[in-house]
Amino acid sequence: MPAPVLAVIQDMYEGDEYVLKDGDKTAGVHPTARVKQGCPLSPLLFSLYINDVDFVAEGCTGAVTGTEGLHVSHLLFVADDLQHMLNRLHAYAHRKHMIINTSKSEVVHFNSSGSNLPTFTIGGVALQCKESFKYLGMVFHKCLNMEKSSEHVTGAVMATSGRISQFVRDYELDNSPQATLWLGKTYLIPAAMYGSQVWGTAFVKQGTEFKSELQVRHLGFLKRALGVKRTTSNWTVLRECGHEPLQFFWFRSVIKLYNSMLDCNSTTLKKVFQADCNMHSRATGCWTAQMLDGFQGLQKCEEYVQAVRRGAPIRIQEFTNDLRQRLRGVWNTAVTNAVPVPCCFVSLYKSYFGVLSLQTCVPQCELLAICL
């Protein structure tokens, strides 16, 4: 590191003193090494220190992609090549005086079955095999099924649902279902969104609105808030509550990610998306193929499909309105056999749940709004 840069960093920490508190006990500390926890210098200095880490993949052709001639240098499918890269990584870490934490280093054999699988080692230590691994909070399963990734979010959704229920009890809001429903919109839906721009394509196709376990949990929360039976029609409950199915939010996040990839300054990310796009005709489970399938049933379906094939952005507000119209089309079908109700109940819908363009009828089922 250049001497002037090092001098600036040392001057930033010169004479620093921290106070440690443990109840009533306090102690002053004068640091002599390392940087403060959370200091932006920490990742910056580390990145500079390992700037030559590409040495590990030097000479490796890498894995093929959907684009001819494009390879991912740090991703290999031959066991011998992978072990060779791990050996290089161990040598690199040793040269840099770093230690690889093998207890946190795991191996996932994608698309594998049986027990006759190769064992990988780092510095003579065998790495543990797992069914899945978590990266940036998102779980990747060995079967490469994005539906499995969505199941990891279920825990957060259930915990959020429980906290909302506890809040309702603590503040005696049991007789105010509209408060519970607005809390659900504010906290439960965001909890079901983490990573959905990646795994959400598995649930954006028309007709798969209730396929996800997360949507089942969401509907369970709504039905408990209304006090209706679990067998009550899903579309009826969503209409009653003024909630969109989770598919609406997932699909919108997918399109936002698509637009972001087109507008990003990373040539690598753009190449990865193009490779995935090139595979959609022969790999129906890839991200782009599932997104294209999701356009079916939209008024501007063909326009969106052509935009993706050309690599053109999709106007998010226009798409959102189109998607909402597709979902409301199902709602309108669901209330075909409805019965007339007094206008006062219609005003309750609009004032409590903000439902737009509601007809003067509700489905023939036991819904709480009828009893208010």
Side-chain angles (χ1 to χ4, degrees):
M1 179 179 292
V5 177
L6 180 60
V8 169
I9 296 174
Q10 290 175 331
D11 186 61
M12 288 174 59
Y13 282 89
E14 184 69 26
D16 270 11
E17 181 180 1
Y18 311 129
V19 177
L20 304 181
K21 297 188 66 175
D22 181 12
D24 297 330
K25 300 178 182 178
T26 60
V29 177
H30 295 274
T32 58
R34 304 177 181 173
V35 296
K36 292 184 291 186
Q37 183 176 1
C39 178
L41 272 178
S42 180
L44 175 60
L45 293 176
F46 183 73
S47 297
L48 291 173
Y49 190 65
I50 64 168
N51 189 49
D52 58 345
V53 73
D54 280 349
F55 155 80
V56 173
E58 186 177 330
C60 296
T61 303
V64 298
T65 66
T67 301
E68 186 177 355
L70 178 63
H71 297 77
V72 182
S73 61
H74 294 63
L75 181 63
L76 300 173
F77 293 124
V78 181
D80 291 341
D81 290 340
L82 286 173
Q83 184 59 62
H84 180 58
M85 287 184 67
L86 289 174
N87 294 339
R88 280 188 172 186
L89 178 63
H90 176 69
Y92 175 83
H94 181 73
R95 179 165 57 87
K96 290 280 191 175
H97 304 286
M98 296 189 298
I99 298 176
I100 299 175
N101 191 341
T102 53
S103 64
K104 294 185 177 180
S105 303
E106 301 168 343
V107 176
V108 177
H109 294 273
F110 290 110
N111 287 330
S112 61
S113 60
S115 58
N116 188 23
L117 299 172
T119 300
F120 296 97
T121 62
I122 293 182
V125 179
L127 301 180
Q128 189 176 5
C129 292
K130 292 286 187 177
E131 297 286 310
S132 61
F133 78 98
K134 185 189 294 186
Y135 181 70
L136 296 178
M138 180 173 169
V139 174
F140 294 85
H141 197 266
K142 72 172 187 177
C143 64
L144 294 177
N145 187 343
M146 288 293 99
E147 294 183 27
K148 291 286 185 179
S149 299
S150 70
E151 293 175 1
H152 176 70
V153 187
T154 305
V157 171
M158 294 299 295
T160 303
S161 176
R163 285 194 290 269
I164 292 174
S165 299
Q166 185 63 46
F167 181 89
V168 169
R169 289 193 296 270
D170 291 345
Y171 288 88
E172 300 180 353
L173 299 173
D174 305 78
N175 295 323
S176 180
Q178 66 272 22
T180 304
L181 295 174
W182 281 118
L183 287 170
K185 274 192 173 182
T186 306
Y187 297 104
L188 191 68
I189 292 177
M193 290 289 293
Y194 192 85
S196 61
Q197 57 268 65
V198 178
W199 52 256
T201 53
F203 308 104
V204 298
K205 187 176 180 180
Q206 188 176 27
T208 63
E209 291 86 358
F210 307 123
K211 181 181 178 182
S212 169
E213 178 65 21
L214 288 172
Q215 184 59 78
V216 174
R217 302 291 184 179
H218 177 221
L219 285 165
F221 170 82
L222 298 180
K223 291 176 182 180
R224 288 193 298 273
L226 293 177
V228 299
K229 298 178 180 179
R230 289 183 296 175
T231 55
T232 304
S233 168
N234 293 333
W235 286 110
T236 300
V237 171
L238 288 170
R239 182 63 181 263
E240 175 79 2
C241 297
H243 277 228
E244 306 279 4
L246 293 176
Q247 182 194 79
F248 173 81
F249 304 98
W250 294 339
F251 207 169
R252 191 170 57 178
S253 70
V254 167
I255 299 303
K256 287 182 178 180
L257 175 61
Y258 164 75
N259 287 338
S260 298
M261 288 191 291
L262 297 180
D263 194 43
C264 73
N265 57 7
S266 170
T267 55
T268 301
L269 182 57
K270 290 181 179 180
K271 289 179 179 179
V272 168
F273 167 69
Q274 189 58 51
D276 189 82
C277 191
N278 293 339
M279 290 195 305
H280 81 270
S281 60
R282 57 183 184 274
T284 57
C286 73
W287 189 85
T288 304
Q290 291 180 333
M291 179 175 64
L292 292 175
D293 286 343
F295 291 141
Q296 301 299 319
L298 298 175
Q299 293 181 353
K300 297 186 178 181
C301 169
E302 189 58 30
E303 180 181 325
Y304 301 141
V305 170
Q306 293 304 320
V308 172
R309 289 176 177 171
R310 295 194 316 269
I314 294 175
R315 291 185 290 273
I316 189 65
Q317 188 58 54
E318 180 181 288
F319 171 80
T320 299
N321 295 336
D322 201 346
L323 179 59
R324 184 176 280 115
Q325 189 65 31
R326 186 178 80 177
L327 296 172
R328 287 182 178 175
V330 180
W331 278 346
N332 292 335
T333 302
V335 298
T336 301
N337 298 321
V339 294
V341 295
C343 293
C344 60
F345 295 131
V346 177
S347 63
L348 282 175
Y349 272 29
K350 293 182 178 179
S351 61
Y352 284 168
F353 308 130
V355 179
L356 302 176
S357 304
L358 187 67
Q359 302 174 2
T360 56
C361 56
V362 293
Q364 200 168 13
C365 61
E366 299 176 29
L367 295 176
L368 185 59
I370 298 179
C371 303
L372 291 174

